[in-house]
Amino acid sequence: MRAAQNEIRTTPQPCCFLCGAEGNPLYRDLVDSFFDAPGKWDFKQCPKGCGLIWLDPRPVEQDLHLAYQRYFTHGDSDGKLSAARRLRNLLYQGYRAANVLPQTLTGLRRSKIQMERMFLEDVLPANCWM
């Protein structure tokens, strides 16, 4: 049973996802002061060569969305954006518009489009009807 609606349930993850070694504690009882995700979090680091860092315990998949309730890309719950968020969106749109011409002249725009499409326009589609 769930103790609180915004509490994130966790499950132990003592071992490295890559090599299976038991992790060493790196940080304990960290809080998310930037996006205010509920809970305190511990990080472990793999003592082997891979050096992976992970959460232990980690959130259960069904509760992961609770960590992003106040994430900056999400709208407010009432559907209205704050003045600061509207200003940020306006400035970002201006930034993107101001960069179109320089990116086009330098060839960066084409490279960015190719990267977004993962260079698939250079690949011919397979003929599945043969």
Side-chain angles (χ1 to χ4, degrees):
M1 186 163 86
R2 198 175 193 119
Q5 185 161 344
N6 68 346
E7 181 180 323
I8 299 175
R9 296 172 296 167
T10 60
T11 185
Q13 186 63 55
C15 297
C16 176
F17 293 95
L18 298 177
C19 67
E22 188 167 335
N24 293 330
L26 185 62
Y27 298 105
R28 292 190 183 275
D29 295 328
L30 296 178
V31 294
D32 181 0
S33 57
F34 197 66
F35 294 114
D36 201 29
K40 291 187 178 183
W41 303 98
D42 298 342
F43 284 86
K44 286 193 173 178
Q45 184 171 25
C46 183
K48 305 274 181 170
C50 70
L52 184 71
I53 298 173
W54 68 91
L55 286 172
D56 178 32
R58 64 177 175 83
V60 297
E61 187 175 340
Q62 296 83 0
D63 290 355
L64 193 55
H65 69 280
L66 295 172
Y68 297 97
Q69 292 180 88
R70 295 189 178 168
Y71 199 63
F72 71 94
T73 59
H74 294 48
D76 293 340
S77 59
D78 62 0
K80 297 179 183 175
L81 295 178
S82 67
R85 192 169 291 170
R86 284 194 307 268
L87 177 61
R88 179 192 160 279
N89 290 344
L90 181 64
L91 290 173
Y92 183 63
Q93 288 173 1
Y95 165 79
R96 290 187 62 179
N99 279 302
V100 169
L101 183 60
Q103 288 177 2
T104 302
L105 293 175
T106 61
L108 181 60
R109 182 157 172 77
R110 176 160 170 70
S111 295
K112 286 176 78 174
I113 290 170
Q114 284 180 323
M115 195 63 152
E116 288 171 358
R117 296 178 182 164
M118 299 177 68
F119 296 92
L120 291 176
E121 69 266 3
D122 296 335
V123 178
L124 295 174
N127 190 348
C128 299
W129 298 282
M130 292 182 99

